[in-house]
Amino acid sequence: TVKSGVVLVDFWAPWCGPCRMQGPILDQVSESIGDKAVVAKMNVDENPTVPAKFGVRSIPTLILFKDGKATAKFVGVTSKEKLVDAITASL
């Protein structure tokens, strides 16, 4: 786990259509922010306890963490602009 810095975690599953739509958007977000923040993915089927801990009820859900604390949550397919703006505001 990352304890410092800004991390965006995508809670997803391979069978989830909207999650597959979110994937390329996250690649663009990662390119835009470079090494200023980390973009990570968590497969909810492989890690069932972690999403529950953060109140993830539907996927895709993206949670932005700053220094280990959740600061923003996005449910459903979220635009590159909205995610980059949230990450930039957290830096």
Side-chain angles (χ1 to χ4, degrees):
T1 58
V2 178
K3 299 288 183 203
S4 65
V6 177
V7 181
L8 178 68
V9 180
D10 174 22
F11 293 91
W12 73 289
W15 48 262
C16 164
C19 298
R20 290 195 301 268
M21 292 168 51
Q22 187 70 62
I25 297 169
L26 285 176
D27 293 340
Q28 294 171 7
V29 169
S30 187
E31 286 175 28
S32 293
I33 59 167
D35 60 2
K36 291 182 242 153
V38 175
V39 176
K41 293 171 75 84
M42 176 166 289
N43 185 324
V44 298
D45 291 339
E46 294 172 358
N47 303 282
T49 58
V50 176
K53 180 177 156 188
F54 292 105
V56 174
R57 290 188 176 79
S58 64
I59 54 174
T61 292
L62 298 103
I63 301 180
L64 186 63
F65 294 90
K66 176 159 179 142
D67 300 329
K69 292 189 174 71
T71 58
K73 182 188 277 191
F74 306 92
V75 179
V77 177
T78 306
S79 71
K80 171 191 169 190
E81 292 75 22
K82 194 169 184 180
L83 295 171
V84 169
D85 287 349
I87 292 167
T88 303
S90 294
L91 295 174

